[in-house]
Amino acid sequence: MQISVIGTGYVGLVTAVLMAELGHRVYGVDIDEKKLAKLKKGRSPIYEPGLEKLLVKNLDRNRLSFSSSYEKAIPSSDVIFVCVGTPPLPDGSYDPKFVFSALESVAKNLKKYAVVVIKSTVPPSIGPSLKKIMDKNTSVSYDLASVPEFLREGSAVRDAFHPDRIVIGASSDKAKTILLKVHEKLPGERIIGDMLSAQLVKYAANAFLATKISFINSLAILADKIGADIDTVVDGFGSDHRIGKSFLQAGLGYGGSCFPKDTHALISYSDSLGYDFSFLKQVDRINDKQIDYFVVKIKNMLGSLKNKTIAILGLAFKAETDDMREARSILLINKLYKLGAKLRVFDPVAMANAKAILKSKQLYFAKNEYDCAKQADVLCLVTEWPQFKKLDFGKIKKHMKKAIIVDGRNFLPKEKLKKMGFSYEGIGRR
Ligand code: NAD
């Protein structure tokens, strides 16, 4: 089939490459010319394991091309995936302007029937506005549909090729049949329904995962208070198959471009419907407080933080990505900076993005992990990059002023570190 993917960011680029790999002919459309120039040369503008290789492969076999031209892409397309950003607004709601403008351009260039699929995360109430934009700008027949995206940055390629499920929301049987066909080579359960339900599925998934994180972080605080060990607790209650152990990792809380934005949007959307989603508000509050809890832990180890040197290992919002959107490191760094600490920071791939965001602060951007640890009073693990587990901690210890590690992801080998003479503090870890 002929496919257009509008927006070639984290979701759009993976979708474009996936569709090409499945055998479709794909146009990736974006308004960012710099991004397009890189893509045309086979270079991925984002760090995502395995993505660039598939990008080059599909460019070479002419299944994939990139352009800023809707005129080129849309007329021949059978299916159009809209994957533009839906960034948060200060009041907690989301900004639909990119979706609206993309849809207007799609509609103006429609020459034959197509299924216009919203992959961007949008609240269910958006449907009538989308239809209005389409109808105002085209008289060609079309169907609107929603196929929410569940990929995780850092494992996006694997997730795209091995989804747990594909949720298809559409009002017409024709659109549902076409979308089943587009995805037919992929594994995973098919859940077919209406657009409203499909869009609510996406918010439900992110809100539930955020809930698990805030739940385990609350429990970890309790474990700290009584001297219990959260890892043992999770092994114990998570092995009940009704509960499961995944996403029960105590730490600094959730960040990234989706969970904070989508929980806020669901809260704000519920408020607009006259429903106080107080449960989710509490999940969000717990998450907000988790950084303060971490800072108190550092203070308990060091006393005043004024002029203390703090090494921060990991800046990206999670491992295996360069994405710094709503990264917990930003909040932590801002708080430590305000308390007068001197900060040395390092991330394996997110340094350039981090520098752009943190440029107003006087931070030392270290060359590597050992450089980061130099003369540090404490080393804080903020992102769970696998390579941090394999560090030569003897060398790290020699570089540090004091052998103290505060692990914000309960990730490092605590027994080994304790045996080596480090004072180790995790979140709810004994
Ligand atoms: P992103 O910011 O990485 O990419 C968005 C892209 O859209 C950018 O390249 C931008 O230039 C382009 N764009 C904006 N307006 C455009 C227009 N009118 N025409 C063409 N291109 C345009 O965003 P993302 O992280 O890929 O997220 C996209 C959507 O998917 C969001 O709604 C997000 O909530 C949702 N989502 C994201 C993830 C994730 O892990 N990033 C996962 C699931 C769902």
Side-chain angles (χ1 to χ4, degrees), residues 328-341:
R328 300 256 96 189
S329 63
I330 302 171
L331 285 178
L332 178 65
I333 285 169
N334 285 341
K335 286 192 190 269
L336 296 175
Y337 193 77
K338 268 196 192 142
L339 292 167

Side-chain angles (χ1 to χ4, degrees), residues 9-11 30 35 70 84 86 101 121 149 153 258 261 325:
Y10 287 87
V11 168
D30 207 294
K35 203 174 259 189
Y70 280 82
V84 298
T86 46
S101 119
T121 305
E149 182 55 62
E153 287 177 26
C258 290
K261 165 174 86 77
R325 288 178 288 185

